[in-house]
Amino acid sequence: DPAMTRRGVFAWLLDSTAVAAIPAILFLDAGAAEYGEGWFANLVGPVAILASTGVGLLLALRRHTNPIGWLLLASGNVLALAGLARAYAGYVLEHPGSLPGGRAAAVWDTSGWPLLFAGVIAIAFVFPEGRLPSPRWRPWAIGGAASFLIMLLGGLLSDDPLDAPFEELAPFGVLPGAVHGTLQAVGLL
């Protein structure tokens, strides 16, 4: 079945992308010196990526119609992106001018945190059968997705200082603090 083959290839691609980020994260973090995460994060991060994508791959290949496997694969990629952004920004701070985009990676490190929870929340909505318990849950699921988007965009465009150790870098600063605070409050609500 060609559709089954495409799904399998896509599942392996999602898994491979996240797993391939692990050596890059460890290499960049090793070069980040004082801006690096340290051994504990470099142990826990890859384990979390491998656990999420490993279970996600098995579910996506065996139960491709159930979205939980695909959500776990996506969550593993979000974890990989978070680790990569942190290590990349730290490396660029330690070696100024060595790589482009360090500021963007630092902004993502500070503001991309809502996506770390999005996969778990999405799985909670569709567990265990892979669909919402009833159509009455649809507005709640849409509201949940919208809240993550509002918080993510509000954080990325904020003029608030970046989290340590990246506080010396300038945020994107498109939204003033009052607007960002309102968006964060609405998103959290």
Side-chain angles (χ1 to χ4, degrees), residues 52 67-76 78-79 113-127 148:
S52 183
I68 293 174
W70 299 101
L71 290 168
L72 284 168
L73 284 167
S75 186
V78 167
L79 291 169
W113 65 266
L115 287 186
L116 295 173
F117 301 96
V120 174
I121 299 298
I123 289 169
F125 272 116
V126 298
F127 187 81
F148 280 106

Side-chain angles (χ1 to χ4, degrees), residues 103-167:
R103 177 179 168 216
V107 169
W108 184 266
D109 178 65
T110 294
S111 303
W113 65 266
L115 287 186
L116 295 173
F117 301 96
V120 174
I121 299 298
I123 289 169
F125 272 116
V126 298
F127 187 81
E129 280 92 27
R131 61 183 184 277
L132 295 173
S134 74
R136 291 182 292 161
W137 281 80
R138 193 169 293 129
W140 292 103
I142 292 169
S147 73
F148 280 106
L149 182 62
I150 288 168
M151 290 179 61
L152 181 64
L153 288 176
L156 291 173
L157 302 177
S158 169
D159 67 353
D160 288 349
L162 301 181
D163 291 343
F166 307 120
E167 62 269 7

